[in-house]
Amino acid sequence: MTMRQIYETDLYSNRNPTWHEEDAPWKASHIEKIIHRNQLSFKNICEVGCGTGDILLNLSNAFPGVDLCGFEIAPQAYARAKAKERDPVRFFLKDFLQDSEDHYDIILLIDVIEHVEDYNAFLKAIKSRSQYKIFHVPLDLSVQSLLRGWPIMNLRANVGHLHYFYKDSILATLKDCGYRIIDHHYTASRLELPNQAVTSRLMRLPRRLCYAANRDLAVRVLGGYSLMILAS
């Protein structure tokens, strides 16, 4: 079974019945933050791999008058998104690169590229489709995750992560694919999201203390963070 078939069948949905929609307000807030910080001017936003659509629905409240659309290949996630569709947010059960030729002001790729088998080809193909791209990429590679081993393998088995990054490797990947990095910041998923595992809750204080002392070192050693990136 290919990775794409995992999303097009019931396999991913059975393992992740909420499609992580409970994380959408938190992710949308970080997208809003990087947009405002860079004073972007835009009329539309497209999310590739929009899941159940809740990120776009949250952004529609933050940016009234902006057209938003989401593309999704998983029928189960699309059905949930379509049921919540409201003007000016639209959802499509389509492969963005194969079934659309439209150009957008901003394309969102939120926790997507780690699932794509040939992510370099994907990044190169999508580059010309918008003025700006906003990525959210989990930084799965850390000293503690490599020492324990099983966290990375669990991500592969349960949520379909095929590729694993740390800050420098994802920024270098984007540059190699022709992107210009405009801005980026860490997001603390293991600190800020609810329903964390016991081990993550135990690591909250060490992560906070180390992060206050040296952000890059804390992320690389202890993990628990993702990277929000604005590129063109």
Side-chain angles (χ1 to χ4, degrees), residues 148-225:
R148 291 191 294 162
W150 62 262
I152 288 178
M153 297 313 297
N154 279 357
L155 288 170
R156 189 180 189 91
N158 295 326
V159 293
H161 289 196
L162 297 177
H163 313 287
Y164 314 98
F165 301 96
Y166 64 101
K167 175 185 173 182
D168 294 342
S169 68
I170 183 54
L171 293 178
T173 294
L174 291 173
K175 291 176 182 177
D176 289 345
C177 291
Y179 288 83
R180 179 175 71 92
I181 307 300
I182 300 172
D183 191 12
H184 57 77
H185 68 260
Y186 290 122
T187 65
S189 56
R190 292 295 180 268
L191 298 178
E192 298 173 359
L193 289 177
N195 304 319
Q196 295 296 314
V198 173
T199 52
S200 293
R201 296 199 295 271
L202 291 174
M203 288 295 294
R204 280 179 177 170
L205 181 58
R207 282 187 170 121
R208 290 187 188 279
L209 294 174
C210 292
Y211 190 81
N214 187 316
R215 292 184 177 186
D216 288 339
L217 183 63
V219 173
R220 189 170 296 188
V221 173
L222 298 179
Y225 291 80

